Every structure is written in C-alpha cells, then in structure tokens.
Amino acid sequence: MIIFDKQTEVKAYLKPFLQDKKTVGFIPTMGALHEGHLSLMNESLKNNDYTVVSIFVNPTQFNNPEDLKKYPRTLESDVEKIKTLNPKIIVYAPTVDDIYEGKTVSKSFDYDGLEFQMEGKHRPGHFDGVGTVVKKLFEIVNPTNSYFGEKDFQQLAIVRKLVQKNNMSVNVVGCEIFREANKLAMSSRNERLSADERAKAAIIYKTLAEAKKLFATKTANEVTKRTEKMFKNQSLFELEYFEIADEQTLLTCKRKSKNKKYRAFIAVFVNNIRLIDNISLK
Ligand code: PAF
C-alpha cells in the first residue's frame, strides 16, 4: 500500500493518471476511521479508477483547543483498516507543516451565509478552517469525485459552495449517514464515549425520528420547543441546539412551504463530547 506524507509526492504520483484521463475519487478524513469512512471509500472504489484517502487532523477548524488536543489520532490502525478494505487505496497523511507550509492559519471564506447558521454560530472560525484545508487538499489531489458524509450536512453544503465559488472541477458526492446498531450516527468522537454514554446516546437519533413524526402536523417552532423541553430533563445530555432548517439555505424554518425541503439538525454535549446529527423531514 502506498502512503505519502508530502504533497509534492502525491501530486507527482497522481499526475500521469490525471493526464491519462483516469478518474480519482477522494475521501478527506481526520482519521480515527470507522465504518462510515469505509463506506465512503467503497463508494469511491466502485466509481473511480483510483481512490485517495487523506488523514489529517486539521488544527485550524477546531475552535476549542481541548477538542483538538483530545481528538483521537490512530494513524497505524487507520492504515490497517484501509489496507484490509483495499490495499490499492492511496493514503496521504501529511504533517501540519506539509499542508500549511509554516503558516497555520485559515483563509476567510464567503459561503453566501451558509457559514452563519447552526455550527457556524457555535463554532466560530470552524468553516474557514474546513474551507482552507479542503481547498488545499483538492488542489493537491485534483480529484474527479470527492465523498462526504451527510452527518456533517452543513459542511457538505459549504464544500459544494466552495467548489462552485472557486470554479473547481471536482464533483462533490454526499453519502447517507452510517449509524451504529442503536442508530447513533457514526463519528470519530464516539470513541471518547464510555460504553454507557454510547448506549444512551441513542436518544439523539430517537429525538430526530420523533421530530420528523411531529413535523407532519406541528410547526417547526412547536417541534423545537418540545425538543428543548425534553432535553431540560436529561442529566447526561446538554442540548446545544436543535433546529429545523431549509436544506438549501440552512435558514431556520419559520413557516413551512410545500416547495422546500427541510431537515432537523441537532448538537448535543455528552460529558463535554460534542455530537451532531440530522434527519431529512421529507
Ligand atoms: O469531516 C471531516 O472529517 C473534516 O472536516 C474534513 C472534511 C476532513 C476536513 O478536515
């Protein structure tokens, strides 16, 4: 299996394939790989001549230094997982310096307002960090297709906007949320939960599923208020936000419109570990 840690080497390796009009599928990750990441890789393997996975814990997208410090770093086992899935996958696992070249700062991006909603309100600077690293990675790998999970639905919308605004040629593919047996959305952060917390975190998806049912007959505001009230009685979980928003603009739904698609979004703290999830309300 080929593992690169220098952008110059990945670029040089992929160049002849791209000149030959081969397709390259790309999955950017921060490691601590789980089944959700592997499903993105499978999607890429099915649809491209080559698949590249990057493993890089991007410092500029963490608004909370403690979260960055505690983010799981498991390069060896990540590489093993990829090798077991398919040893032909090309891995790019750079150092901070290889990506940021001595200047570990974000660029500032305008995503037409998508950045000011939900995660943007609670994680200042997060989407500038994501945009900075994803743009750099796209410039290095030059992918034909790039795969992102819908768990980070706002990130997916933002990456699509980034590509559109910068006239990049990559096709951004959104993939369904991969869930654990109790329907908890798969996330690298789940590794930090105790067995008990992980089992009880089933409440997050349960809340979303209930919200979906309620939204058929209630207003977005009513569903939101009920959800907030329910979380007030939870000792293990602290609700950061619950929002029903338009899938396109990510603006909070004030009044339902038949022509719009809505999604419920949630962010919850379990013992200082932040988990997010969402569900289509179609
Ligand atoms: O979703 C993630 O893991 C990260 O935000 C990404 C897209 C790899 C950028 O660092």
Side-chain angles (χ1 to χ4, degrees):
M1 203 173 106
I2 306 175
I3 307 171
F4 295 107
D5 63 1
K6 301 217 170 19
Q7 54 166 293
T8 46
E9 291 169 1
V10 199
K11 273 189 200 160
Y13 183 80
L14 294 172
K15 200 173 167 190
F17 307 143
L18 292 164
Q19 279 170 344
D20 226 18
K21 299 271 176 279
K22 299 285 186 209
T23 55
V24 173
F26 176 49
I27 301 100
T29 81
M30 297 207 297
L33 301 179
H34 50 67
E35 291 294 323
H37 292 116
L38 301 184
S39 75
L40 301 182
M41 293 176 209
N42 273 328
E43 207 47 41
S44 172
L45 287 163
K46 262 193 280 166
N47 295 299
N48 299 278
D49 298 316
Y50 296 91
T51 290
V52 180
V53 174
S54 65
I55 300 177
F56 178 63
V57 181
N58 173 35
T60 64
Q61 72 185 73
F62 285 81
N63 57 308
N64 177 349
E66 196 58 19
D67 193 23
L68 171 60
K69 204 165 102 194
K70 292 205 171 135
Y71 202 85
R73 287 160 174 87
T74 53
L75 185 59
E76 246 177 67
S77 68
D78 290 342
V79 167
E80 270 317 300
K81 282 180 193 166
I82 298 174
K83 206 198 273 176
T84 309
L85 184 74
N86 191 322
K88 287 195 183 136
I89 294 176
I90 301 150
V91 175
Y92 173 44
T95 56
V96 171
D97 218 45
D98 191 60
I99 290 285
Y100 283 100
E101 298 167 287
K103 236 181 145 198
T104 314
V105 287
S106 298
K107 294 223 161 68
S108 177
F109 291 92
D110 172 2
Y111 304 106
D112 290 345
L114 294 175
E115 69 274 34
F116 301 128
Q117 307 309 314
M118 299 177 291
E119 292 297 286
K121 283 184 204 154
H122 297 274
R123 303 188 68 188
H126 171 66
F127 288 122
D128 279 339
V130 170
T132 303
V133 79
V134 170
K135 187 163 178 284
K136 277 179 195 277
L137 290 167
F138 281 176
E139 283 161 0
I140 294 166
V141 176
N142 241 300
T144 322
N145 300 297
S146 187
Y147 299 83
F148 291 81
E150 285 189 344
K151 179 177 76 71
D152 298 290
F153 192 87
Q154 189 171 6
Q155 168 173 277
L156 173 61
I158 277 188
V159 171
R160 288 202 163 112
K161 188 63 82 179
L162 176 84
V163 164
Q164 181 206 324
K165 288 208 150 189
N166 289 280
N167 293 318
M168 300 182 108
S169 59
V170 51
N171 174 40
V172 177
V173 185
C175 300
E176 264 183 39
I177 301 174
F178 225 75
R179 297 186 179 279
E180 301 192 358
N182 69 357
K183 300 274 177 113
L184 173 65
M186 286 204 183
S187 161
S188 305
R189 289 191 172 84
N190 295 356
E191 294 305 314
R192 293 175 52 203
L193 302 171
S194 69
D196 182 53
E197 289 163 349
R198 201 158 174 157
K200 289 187 175 143
I203 190 174
I204 299 171
Y205 180 77
K206 207 166 149 247
T207 303
L208 290 174
E210 274 166 22
K212 182 172 177 144
K213 248 194 235 157
L214 279 174
F215 191 62
T217 55
K218 306 269 179 232
T219 66
N221 190 42
E222 282 165 337
V223 180
T224 306
K225 289 277 164 295
R226 272 201 203 199
T227 307
E228 288 171 350
K229 195 166 162 212
M230 191 276 285
F231 267 95
K232 288 220 166 84
N233 303 322
Q234 294 291 333
S235 53
L236 188 59
F237 300 95
E238 191 194 320
L239 181 67
E240 186 172 53
Y241 67 78
F242 172 87
E243 279 214 27
I244 294 181
D246 178 331
E247 274 196 14
Q248 283 297 314
T249 61
L250 301 183
L251 291 172
T252 310
C253 167
K254 299 265 190 252
R255 196 182 316 144
K256 282 187 220 179
S257 154
K258 282 217 166 80
N259 310 321
K260 289 186 175 163
K261 285 188 190 157
Y262 297 103
R263 221 164 242 268
F265 296 85
I266 192 166
V268 172
F269 280 100
V270 188
N271 189 14
N272 273 332
I273 301 155
R274 190 171 184 277
L275 303 174
I276 60 170
D277 200 351
N278 66 80
I279 194 169
S280 160
L281 300 179
K282 231 187 350 198

